[in-house]
Amino acid sequence: MTSTQDPTPPTRPLIYDLYDQPVSGAEIERRSFAAIDAEADRSGFTNAQWQVVRRLIHTTADFSLAEQIRFSDDAFSSCAAALQRGATIYADSNMIRSGLSVARLQQIHPGYQRDSILCHVADTDVAVQAKDSGLPRSLFAVRKAAAQLDGSIILIGNAPVALLEINRLILEQGLRPALVIGMPVGFVHVLESKEELQTTGVPYIVIDGRRGGSPLAVACLHALCGLVGD
């Protein structure tokens, strides 16, 4: 019979072990990456691809993500050129906009600022259009930014409808982003939005299936920044 009693608390809080033997945040990250390298099967990935895959595993502690990540052949070269010229960045959620490290971006191009990362999903006019039409705000947020998306880096971590609209702009209006990070999460429109993106001919990094999320989209771009900065 399993006991329901709470475990006996330690006589000395464990944080004191860290106080006694300090480890910096950078060292914790280094050790984490070393653990991932030791445990994961990185066969089948180029060095550049593995830097992205490892960062996503680090974000989630989920090794099975490696089986679902897809890269177009031109994803890295196109993204590197875009970052180096200070290309527009579009985010489908304010979580992505807030989570992106401007300091990392500025190491590649000094012109990057928080306000220069586009995200219109919370704009008043977008909310009005969504209410009037009965369609998601993410659709109208993409449409509002459409004129600025040629050559841009697009991060979709929340809204599959945003990715569907990006795909439509590519297929019908000739939009050519430098990279689409397609990682929306959920159960409706998710699978087809990712599958369609991979047929459009534009550079992409995708997590197949239902999994995704804004933290993964952010981690992906951070990994790409590290590759460009090396």
Side-chain angles (χ1 to χ4, degrees):
M1 187 176 189
T2 303
S3 172
T4 59
Q5 293 182 349
D6 292 335
T8 303
T11 56
R12 180 177 186 260
L14 293 175
I15 190 66
Y16 286 104
D17 293 342
L18 180 64
Y19 294 166
D20 294 341
Q21 296 182 306
V23 180
S24 68
E27 175 62 14
I28 289 172
E29 182 177 83
R30 187 195 69 76
R31 292 184 188 181
S32 298
F33 283 167
I36 294 168
D37 287 340
E39 293 183 41
D41 177 8
R42 57 183 295 180
S43 62
F45 295 110
T46 66
N47 180 65
Q49 289 172 345
W50 178 244
Q51 301 310 307
V52 173
V53 172
R54 183 173 65 176
R55 175 67 68 174
L56 298 186
I57 293 173
H58 179 259
T59 300
T60 60
D62 185 351
F63 285 88
S64 68
L65 269 175
E67 302 170 7
Q68 295 181 282
I69 302 172
R70 306 287 180 262
F71 303 88
S72 68
D73 292 339
D74 52 356
F76 294 97
S77 59
S78 184
C79 183
L83 288 170
Q84 288 166 341
R85 68 172 179 269
T88 296
I89 296 173
Y90 178 82
D92 76 323
S93 72
N94 278 308
M95 182 181 292
I96 291 176
R97 187 172 182 270
S98 298
L100 285 173
S101 169
V102 173
R104 292 190 196 209
L105 293 168
Q106 288 177 340
Q107 288 175 359
I108 302 169
H109 192 284
Y112 279 117
Q113 302 292 331
R114 181 76 59 202
D115 290 344
S116 61
I117 301 170
L118 302 182
C119 181
H120 296 307
V121 73
D123 292 3
T124 300
D125 57 336
V126 167
V128 169
Q129 288 175 303
K131 183 178 179 180
D132 290 346
S133 67
L135 293 166
R137 286 182 297 162
S138 59
L139 170 67
F140 297 100
V142 168
R143 289 183 181 177
K144 183 173 181 176
Q148 298 170 271
L149 297 183
D150 260 323
S152 69
I153 299 169
I154 297 172
L155 291 84
I156 307 295
N158 181 62
V161 169
L163 184 52
L164 287 173
E165 180 64 5
I166 294 292
N167 295 342
R168 184 191 70 80
L169 292 172
I170 293 168
L171 294 169
E172 292 188 350
Q173 298 187 17
L175 175 68
R176 283 296 177 266
L179 178 68
V180 180
I181 297 174
M183 301 181 179
V185 61
F187 298 91
V188 180
H189 304 308
V190 174
L191 301 179
E192 55 265 42
S193 68
K194 296 175 180 180
E195 290 167 0
E196 185 178 53
L197 172 62
Q198 294 175 70
T199 70
T200 60
V202 303
Y204 64 79
I205 302 176
V206 166
I207 296 177
D208 274 346
R210 294 170 170 172
R211 303 164 76 184
S214 296
L216 287 169
V218 169
C220 182
L221 188 57
H222 284 172
L224 293 166
C225 287
L227 287 166
V228 177
D230 287 345

